[in-house]
């Protein structure tokens, strides 16, 4: 299997993508096509003694930066490392795409270069977030600010396909993020979506409040991309604040430093559970090709995991599963009409 | 100063409100008028040896439960302990109101019995939430699902009055919750409100992302009540999940239990910092009388603190400050028109 990797996306490019690619080749037996300035890539690999078996390069010198207008991927930056990697996937020269570059540019580039699955209104960013009972998938976590109820229903379908096929959660529990469990809660968007989700052939558990989400209320949290992005970022910020406060407790005195030594193994295990790099990245679901957005600050390990995730996405035919579920929904709607 | 206290609001009523009232009388020299079944209140006080100096009762047998329709406070439950306490404040028989009862009923009851400040479109629930640098005030944290940009501007004014007068934060930094710092981010609501807030005579720091909020990005976070409620509840849920996970680390082995003993003081200090009961309750700002909503699970300490908060709200004339700021805004708008 061949994976297209944007060699110049992310804070630690091109070193971290190169290291991650080499690890993935070794551990998962994939081939990686990296886009970017071939001379720099080869020099970096040489300097850090990164083996290039299974890695090929497609040379391009342009890079789209995070602060640039995302739509520039279609125009000024159509030859950037990200755009070229997307073209490779579109043209069938690679089966999946991984990048740690600008989220906005990936969303626009993937939707317009690799295209959406037929029938899908909007692609979503799906973030897999640690919870008390394992993980939950947040759909949408930021790609779509304005949503309609039928879009939220498609988010649920896409979330189910990913959680069951890639994460191995059988019959995942779907919840609609709301500010109370009653049918009357929320905006019209939530009220209508709640009714529509009840009718669908999914394991819908109803409205869920944000308080219950980290405690394991459901496996898939459906919401608009504005609220989802707030959830995702608040989770990051709060974890940083709480773990930072805890660090201060440990650093306070000789006694507390000694305590830290006694706790070290358990604490590392707990921190590992909260570590996003273990997940790889966030899939952009709804695109006709597997697209994985790695975190901007991804290290070698995170890139390796994002490539593994892309591989499972292909092997488990997530796109086929979504297509089938859409077809089933369409038939059901036609029957009822 | 006389404070009206709903004697039958909250999970631990009437014992916790009674204990809290007695503590507040002793520590802050206030008088407390408690509403509720006088016989039960007197019996409870006697059984738990709670001194009743400075506490008077207004007898009423009805209680509005959390699961009931909030609007019933105006009809079926107009003689409930909550409604009667609000009437006492409206009629000038008490200067402020405290209850740990149904949030919905307090919002509706306060708006329609005690009435809003002239010119205020909607009252808000303002939650004071711990952050790395102290606290931030979340306005609105749940009273108003549907908001217009001019409402968010009033939320900022009310937040400033509370943070400067009650919390003692000079020139508080106001941020608009958004999914990016750029002017183009968010719904039309955020885009328009951002422009309007820039023009106001407040210390506006611009759009803030949820990630930065717990790390101390600003003192007042302005948002609609849907997003605010998600923020508030996710904060509660995540703190529970992370502190729970930590507890597991401590309970793991003999070694980790020993470590806990070494850390106990520092951990308790840290937990104290996160403890909502120290704050008292959330003020319902925008009502023509001081209204404090205590947490449903408030204990004696939390009731005492909510009463202290009500006292400061009165003494510092938060309502006068808001009225002046509204007048100033109106004059500025008239000048510009």
């Amino acid at each position: 299997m061949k994976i297209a990797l944007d060699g110049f996306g992310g804070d630690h490019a091109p070193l971290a993508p190169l290291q991650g690619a080499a690890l993935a080749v070794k551990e998962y037996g994939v081939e990686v096509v990296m886009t970017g300035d071939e001379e720099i890539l080869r020099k970096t690999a040489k300097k850090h003694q990164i083996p290039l078996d299974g890695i090929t390069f497609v040379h391009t010198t342009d890079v789209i930066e995070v602060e640039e207008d995302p739509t520039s991927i279609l125009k000024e930056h159509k030859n950037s490392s990200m755009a070229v990697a997307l073209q490779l996937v579109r043209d069938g020269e690679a089966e999946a795409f991984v990048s740690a570059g600008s989220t906005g540019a990936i969303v626009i580039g993937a939707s317009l270069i690799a295209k959406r699955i037929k029938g899908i209104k909007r692609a979503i960013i799906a973030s897999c977030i640690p919870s008390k009972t394992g993980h939950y998938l947040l759909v949408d976590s930021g790609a779509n600010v304005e949503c309609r109820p039928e879009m939220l229903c498609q988010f649920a379908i896409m979330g189910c396909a990913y959680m069951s096929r890639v994460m191995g959660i059988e019959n995942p529990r779907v919840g609609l993020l709301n500010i109370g469990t009653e049918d009357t809660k929320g905006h019209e968007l939530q009220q209508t979506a709640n009714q529509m989700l009840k009718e669908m052939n999914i394991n819908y558990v109803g409205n869920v409040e944000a308080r219950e989400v980290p405690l394991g209320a459901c496996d898939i949290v459906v919401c608009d991309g504005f609220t989802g992005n707030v959830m995702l970022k608040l989770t990051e910020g709060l974890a940083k604040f709480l773990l930072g406060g805890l660090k201060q407790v440990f650093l306070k005195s000789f006694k507390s430093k000694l305590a830290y030594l006694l706790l070290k193994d358990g604490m590392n295990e707990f921190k590992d559970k909260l570590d996003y790099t273990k997940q790889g990245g966030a899939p952009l679901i709804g695109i006709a090709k597997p697209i994985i957005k790695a975190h901007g600050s991804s290290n070698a390990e995170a890139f390796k995991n994002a490539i593994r995730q892309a591989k499972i996405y292909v092997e488990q035919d997530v796109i086929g599963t979504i297509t089938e579920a859409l077809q089933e929904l369409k038939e059901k709607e036609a029957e009822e009409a």
Side-chain angles (χ1 to χ4, degrees), chain A:
Chain A
M1 186 187 306
K2 219 180 240 179
I3 313 277
L5 174 62
D6 173 2
F8 279 75
D11 306 341
H12 307 300
L15 178 58
L18 268 169
Q19 290 172 322
L23 288 170
V25 167
K26 199 175 151 206
E27 288 190 37
Y28 312 126
V30 293
E31 290 175 68
V32 179
V33 200
M34 282 184 84
T35 55
D37 189 311
E38 188 166 352
E39 201 186 323
I40 299 178
L41 286 164
R42 288 200 180 273
K43 266 190 191 163
T44 308
K46 198 171 173 190
K47 187 178 164 196
H48 295 271
Q49 296 176 304
I50 300 164
L52 294 179
D53 318 303
I55 301 177
T56 50
F57 299 112
V58 172
H59 179 70
T60 177
T61 54
D62 185 38
V63 174
I64 181 165
E65 302 291 347
V66 172
E67 56 280 4
E68 283 179 278
D69 174 13
T71 60
S72 66
I73 191 171
L74 305 171
K75 295 170 284 182
E76 302 92 293
H77 293 297
K78 64 174 188 235
N79 292 321
S80 61
S81 57
M82 186 190 287
V84 170
L86 283 166
Q87 290 153 19
L88 289 171
V89 176
R90 176 197 63 198
D91 299 340
E93 291 178 45
E95 287 176 73
F97 165 94
V98 173
S99 172
S102 151
T103 306
I106 295 178
V107 170
I108 290 182
S111 299
L112 295 168
I113 298 172
K115 305 276 194 250
R116 282 192 294 273
I117 295 172
K118 207 183 153 211
I120 286 291
K121 292 178 202 299
R122 301 283 187 92
I124 51 173
I125 299 173
S127 300
C128 206
I129 300 176
S131 74
K132 195 178 166 188
T133 52
H135 291 89
Y136 69 91
L137 193 74
L138 186 63
V139 290
D140 171 26
S141 59
N144 305 286
V145 170
E146 307 294 344
C147 290
R148 295 186 307 277
E150 58 274 25
M151 285 164 60
L152 296 192
C153 294
Q154 289 198 342
F155 296 178
I157 286 177
M158 293 190 269
C160 286
Y162 185 80
M163 279 312 254
S164 60
R165 308 294 290 188
V166 177
M167 301 298 290
I169 308 282
E170 222 174 298
N171 204 18
R173 297 160 304 153
V174 179
L176 178 66
L177 184 67
N178 208 333
I179 58 170
T181 51
E182 304 90 334
D183 287 347
T184 53
K185 291 285 177 177
H187 297 281
E188 207 186 315
L189 172 67
Q190 286 81 20
Q191 291 172 16
T192 309
N194 180 41
Q195 293 309 322
M196 289 170 78
L197 287 162
K198 280 183 188 175
E199 303 288 315
M200 283 170 63
N201 185 24
I202 54 173
N203 184 8
Y204 181 57
V205 300
N207 287 325
V208 294
E209 293 194 73
R211 189 193 286 116
E212 308 306 326
V213 168
L215 303 173
C218 53
D219 304 305
I220 296 163
V221 173
V222 174
C223 61
D224 65 272
F226 184 90
T227 316
N229 199 257
V230 168
M231 288 274 289
L232 176 68
K233 287 178 179 163
L234 182 61
T235 301
E236 286 181 20
L238 260 175
K240 206 169 166 186
F241 162 46
L242 292 174
L243 294 177
L246 205 61
K247 199 176 164 188
Q248 291 309 313
V249 173
F250 285 133
L251 287 175
K252 219 173 171 188
S253 64
F254 175 73
K255 239 171 58 174
S256 63
K257 282 176 192 162
L258 180 66
Y260 180 70
L261 290 179
L262 293 168
L263 281 174
K264 215 172 164 185
D265 290 350
M267 278 304 295
N268 285 342
E269 213 175 282
F270 182 55
K271 275 191 204 155
D272 262 9
K273 210 189 145 184
L274 302 177
D275 186 1
Y276 72 90
T277 62
K278 304 284 165 202
Q279 287 305 315
L284 187 68
I285 317 181
I287 302 296
K289 306 284 177 175
I291 307 284
I292 306 293
K293 155 76 182 106
H295 205 286
S297 60
S298 290
N299 56 17
E301 177 85 5
F303 275 105
K304 182 194 81 176
N305 287 325
I307 293 169
R308 185 197 57 199
Q309 200 180 357
K311 180 177 177 254
I312 303 175
Y313 202 106
V314 175
E315 285 171 349
Q316 292 294 317
D317 191 21
V318 174
I319 289 159
T321 308
I322 293 170
T323 309
E324 273 168 35
L326 278 181
Q327 188 57 32
E328 201 184 295
L329 184 70
K330 217 172 149 186
E331 279 164 17
K332 203 179 151 233
E333 282 171 355
E335 258 173 49
E336 283 166 5

